[in-house]
Amino acid sequence: MFGILVCGDSISLGRGEFPNLGWVGRLKEYFESKDLIINLFRSCFNLGIPGDTSTDLLTRFETEIKARIKYKRSGDKFVIMLAVGMNDSKSVGSSDKLNIKPEIFRNNIKKLIKIAKRYTKQVIVVGLTPVDENLTNPFEETYFTNGRIKEYNEILKESTKLDEVLFLNIFDEIILLDYKKLLFDGLHPNKEGYETIYKIAKTFLIKESII
């Protein structure tokens, strides 16, 4: 079996597009070939839960991957993609009350990577996405700013260097585009946004010889 597990939040799930296909759903369609014989041995799991922070993911992470990663044949291969951090970076109630402080976030990511590496050598940390600050300050009594998101994205990047895993830097690619047009509500991508993220992820995975 060849499996890809994407563990994350509402952007992993695909919120902002109806139905929730998202970038992971598009990856699933591409990865799980329509060829019946190949499809029997390929699976892409979307393990995104809206609102999850890195702390939330830690509580369910090993249970999720342990239930899906099973090496039964010599050729079995698994990839774990960690796509979390947006909800860590937000402020709650007021713009100065951080949901998850940077040092806690850094420690959580280190723990997640450590757990993931017990199950596979192929671990990928997925970077964050920019927001339209005109719509996210506030956003449902929470606050998202690109400055803070970039700070947490850098923590993700630094963590991958220290723990020698791959980093998919979506933020630095999308920020150069007319990214506000890629958003549904200022925070979650729309159909075009998810298509853009999917293409970035697919190109990355092919370049790194993952798929």
Side-chain angles (χ1 to χ4, degrees), residues 9-192:
D9 49 31
S10 59
I11 294 179
S12 304
L13 183 64
R15 284 285 171 87
E17 181 181 24
F18 308 94
N20 296 154
L21 182 63
W23 71 268
V24 181
R26 287 169 168 79
L27 179 61
K28 181 179 178 70
E29 288 184 344
Y30 171 79
F31 181 67
E32 295 181 2
S33 171
K34 293 181 180 179
D35 184 308
L36 179 60
I37 301 301
I38 297 177
N39 190 48
L40 286 173
F41 300 98
R42 286 188 171 215
S43 296
C44 180
F45 302 96
N46 188 337
L47 304 175
I49 294 182
D52 260 15
T53 63
S54 59
T55 300
D56 297 319
L57 180 56
L58 265 173
T59 64
R60 65 182 174 91
F61 185 55
E62 191 155 18
T63 300
E64 295 270 29
I65 60 178
K66 192 174 182 179
R68 292 167 176 84
I69 293 183
K70 301 181 186 299
Y71 293 95
K72 296 182 177 180
R73 301 176 182 84
S74 60
D76 286 350
K77 175 182 175 182
F78 293 91
V79 179
I80 295 176
M81 301 181 74
L82 297 170
V84 70
M86 287 294 286
N87 293 308
D88 295 75
S89 74
K90 72 183 178 184
S91 298
V92 181
S94 67
S95 58
D96 60 346
K97 292 183 178 179
L98 277 172
N99 195 29
I100 302 291
K101 292 182 178 180
E103 58 269 26
I104 296 175
F105 179 60
R106 182 178 288 105
N107 191 45
N108 284 347
I109 296 302
K110 186 174 184 64
K111 289 179 180 178
L112 287 166
I113 292 173
K114 184 177 181 180
I115 294 170
K117 290 173 81 172
R118 292 179 195 158
Y119 293 86
T120 178
K121 293 180 180 179
Q122 293 192 300
V123 179
I124 301 168
V125 174
V126 181
L128 309 181
T129 51
V131 298
D132 182 346
E133 294 180 338
N134 293 321
L135 300 176
T136 60
N137 288 285
F139 180 91
E140 299 176 352
E141 299 182 355
T142 62
Y143 298 79
F144 292 86
T145 67
N146 286 324
R148 187 72 69 184
I149 291 168
K150 185 174 182 180
E151 177 186 352
Y152 281 59
N153 194 62
E154 286 300 312
I155 291 173
L156 291 174
K157 185 177 181 179
E158 291 166 7
S159 298
T160 60
K161 289 181 179 178
L162 290 172
D163 291 299
E164 299 181 330
V165 297
L166 295 173
F167 181 54
L168 172 51
N169 196 348
I170 295 175
F171 187 92
D172 284 358
E173 291 202 42
I174 290 187
I175 200 72
L176 298 175
L177 307 176
D178 191 2
Y179 68 88
K180 292 181 181 180
K181 292 184 178 180
L182 303 177
L183 298 170
F184 167 70
D185 53 9
L187 173 63
H188 300 95
N190 54 26
K191 182 177 180 179
E192 185 181 355

Side-chain angles (χ1 to χ4, degrees), residues 190-204:
N190 54 26
K191 182 177 180 179
E192 185 181 355
Y194 280 122
E195 180 69 20
T196 301
I197 295 171
Y198 159 66
K199 288 179 179 177
I200 293 171
K202 177 184 171 184
T203 299
F204 176 87

